[in-house]
């Protein structure tokens, strides 16, 4: 399954019947536990639009929604997970998500404020032998089409803490990214939702584009 998504991408290319057919899809992860997985509804569509216009991707403009335990997660190279509250993975959810990540998938968890303690309880079920480690500013994630020499930008203020990127690695590949105390999704949302300055939104979208670029290359 290591090259699952590369194979799927090639297969899609072979099935192209017109120049405007989108060849990639992203999805929002619907998880259990009562947390608001549906938060920031305009975030991922706006990021997709930014990527298609600025980094030459051809991503379907409407992201899918997929449940953690569904076999459909294997259709998507990137899953976006956000919310404010509780996170729960059943044994079946955890096993499915582990297979997805070890097989070439990527999960981006963007804390919308309040998710972090629940997430740290849930992730050991997925990876009992791995821990979240801080991802340094020298990681390729921060040096794709856009350059972030100091690491994650600060998008939305909560507790006055600096933004941090944490990750889980498998065989040297970053398979899970947890963005904490930055709230990238708030910066991706429609401008009138949070009234962020355009420069702040630009930084959020550029960082998001870097994540998508990294996923598609790795």
């Amino acid at each position: 399954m290591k090259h699952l998504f590369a194979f799927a991408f090639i297969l899609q290319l072979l099935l192209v019947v017109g120049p405007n057919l989108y060849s990639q899809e992203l999805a929002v992860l619907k998880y259990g536990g009562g947390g608001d997985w549906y938060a920031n509804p305009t975030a991922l569509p706006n990021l997709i639009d930014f990527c298609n216009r600025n980094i030459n991707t051809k991503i379907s403009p409407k992201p899918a929604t997929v449940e953690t335990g569904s076999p459909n997660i294997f259709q998507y190279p990137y899953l976006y997970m956000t919310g404010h509250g509780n996170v729960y993975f059943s044994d079946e959810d955890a096993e499915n998500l582990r297979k997805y990540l070890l097989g070439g998938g990527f999960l981006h968890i963007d804390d919308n404020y309040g998710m972090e303690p629940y997430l740290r309880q849930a992730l050991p079920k997925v990876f009992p032998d791995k821990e979240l480690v801080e991802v340094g500013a020298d990681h390729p994630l921060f040096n794709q089409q856009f350059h972030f020499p100091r690491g994650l930008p600060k998008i939305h203020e909560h507790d006055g803490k600096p933004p941090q990127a944490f990750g889980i690695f498998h065989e040297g590949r970053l398979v899970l990214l947890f963005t904490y105390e930055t709230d990238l999704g708030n910066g991706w949302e429609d401008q009138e939702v949070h009234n962020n300055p355009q420069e702040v939104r630009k930084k959020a979208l550029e960082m998001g584009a870097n994540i998508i670029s990294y996923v598609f290359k790795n």
Side-chain angles (χ1 to χ4, degrees):
M1 296 178 66
K2 185 175 181 179
H3 302 295
L4 172 66
F5 295 109
F7 174 77
F9 177 66
I10 293 171
L11 181 61
Q12 286 175 318
L13 287 180
L14 293 174
L15 294 175
V16 169
V17 294
N20 296 319
L21 186 67
Y22 293 103
S23 58
Q24 297 146 332
E25 287 186 282
L26 308 182
V28 174
L29 187 68
K30 181 180 179 180
Y31 54 90
D36 53 340
W37 61 268
Y38 45 82
N40 292 354
T42 64
L44 196 52
N46 284 343
L47 176 61
I48 289 170
D49 177 68
F50 182 86
C51 289
N52 286 346
R53 289 186 292 107
N54 291 276
I55 64 170
N56 299 316
T57 51
K58 293 185 180 298
I59 306 170
S60 175
K62 185 177 180 180
T65 297
V66 63
E67 295 188 11
T68 313
S70 171
N72 293 334
I73 66 172
F74 293 91
Q75 299 177 23
Y76 309 103
Y78 170 97
L79 299 178
Y80 178 65
M81 177 177 171
T82 192
H84 297 82
N86 192 28
V87 176
Y88 173 77
F89 297 136
S90 68
D91 291 343
E92 293 77 13
D93 290 341
E95 177 67 17
N96 198 49
L97 190 56
R98 179 166 55 251
K99 288 180 178 178
Y100 165 79
L101 295 172
L102 297 184
F106 188 93
L107 175 61
H108 174 203
I109 306 170
D110 188 36
D111 189 354
N112 205 356
Y113 191 57
M115 175 189 277
E116 187 259 352
Y118 303 103
L119 182 68
R120 289 188 179 274
Q121 291 179 1
L123 284 181
K125 184 177 280 190
V126 181
F127 286 116
D129 59 338
K130 297 180 184 291
E131 295 183 357
L132 284 170
V133 296
E134 189 156 10
V135 180
D138 58 345
H139 190 274
L141 197 66
F142 302 109
N143 193 33
Q144 298 288 316
Q145 282 84 347
F146 304 101
H147 305 293
F148 291 86
R150 296 183 180 180
L152 284 177
K154 185 74 170 180
I155 303 304
H156 197 86
E157 188 62 64
H158 293 307
D159 293 330
K161 298 177 181 178
Q164 290 178 282
F166 297 96
I168 289 178
F169 291 81
H170 175 65
E171 296 180 349
R173 182 177 74 92
L174 180 65
V175 300
L176 183 151
L177 173 68
F178 174 43
T179 47
Y180 177 61
E181 283 293 329
T182 174
D183 220 336
L184 292 175
N186 277 10
W188 300 347
E189 282 221 270
D190 291 346
Q191 196 279 333
E192 61 269 19
V193 176
H194 300 288
N195 293 316
N196 287 318
Q198 287 300 325
E199 183 58 31
V200 172
R201 293 188 71 240
K202 181 173 180 287
K203 288 181 180 178
L205 289 164
E206 288 178 347
M207 186 64 237
N210 270 15
I211 296 170
I212 298 301
S213 179
Y214 175 83
V215 170
F216 285 175
K217 291 176 182 177
N218 294 274

